[in-house]
Amino acid sequence: MDSNWRNFDLPAWLATLILMILGGVLIYSAYEASQPAHTLIENLVFRQGLFALGGMVLYFLAAALDYHLLIRLHRWLYLFIIVILLVTLALGQIFFGARSWFEVHAFTIQPSELCKVLMIVVLAKYLGDEKADLESPGPLLIT
């Protein structure tokens, strides 16, 4: 686990932190200053801060995770992607013209965004195998 932190990209983390703080300031100046929220959960700056905190936790978890584990689990990840997309198709709610959202209390979640990232891992494993003949159209048709 120490080897993962040795390669931690501190400048990228600091840039992410600065952008999150700047985003909160811009949300406050554009909306909250003129129309204050009635409850804490309606406060857009507070909500943005919650999402930023959750994103930072996921950022550190991803940095601590050995990506070889994801490569070994590529078949299960693909199955998870298919299941979550089918559940979204069946039970998802329509927001902004797309049935790709789940409403959880006061928040909406778009599982397809997670699926995009996981699909990159699955395709990297599949296309990275030495047995894949990338000169033929077969791998393109399968993926």
Side-chain angles (χ1 to χ4, degrees):
M1 184 130 159
D2 273 340
S3 64
N4 289 350
W5 294 110
R6 185 170 14 117
N7 297 324
F8 184 75
D9 193 356
L10 187 61
W13 179 78
L14 289 173
T16 303
L17 185 63
I18 290 168
L19 287 173
M20 286 190 309
I21 292 169
L22 181 62
V25 169
L26 291 174
I27 289 172
Y28 178 78
S29 69
Y31 187 75
E32 291 296 330
S34 63
Q35 299 177 359
H38 299 291
T39 64
L40 189 59
I41 200 66
E42 291 175 351
N43 185 317
L44 294 178
V45 177
F46 178 75
R47 287 174 59 129
Q48 184 72 14
L50 282 179
F51 286 122
L53 183 64
M56 277 295 146
V57 168
L58 291 176
Y59 189 96
F60 283 113
L61 287 175
L65 181 70
D66 183 15
Y67 72 91
H68 291 99
L69 174 67
L70 292 176
I71 297 295
R72 285 193 300 270
L73 296 174
H74 74 281
R75 287 187 181 93
W76 292 105
L77 288 175
Y78 189 65
L79 180 65
F80 174 74
I81 290 168
I82 298 298
V83 167
I84 198 72
L85 290 176
L86 288 174
V87 168
T88 303
L89 182 64
L91 303 175
Q93 298 189 0
I94 298 175
F95 288 107
F96 307 113
R99 180 182 301 276
S100 59
W101 299 83
F102 286 124
E103 192 168 358
V104 180
H105 299 292
F107 301 105
T108 54
I109 299 171
Q110 192 174 17
S112 61
E113 294 302 319
L114 173 64
C115 292
K116 288 178 191 178
V117 175
L118 295 178
M119 195 64 191
I120 291 171
V121 174
V122 171
L123 286 174
K125 167 62 178 154
Y126 179 74
L127 296 175
D129 285 344
E130 293 179 21
K131 63 183 176 192
D133 181 21
L134 300 180
E135 299 294 324
S136 67
L140 178 65
L141 295 175
I142 291 173
T143 60

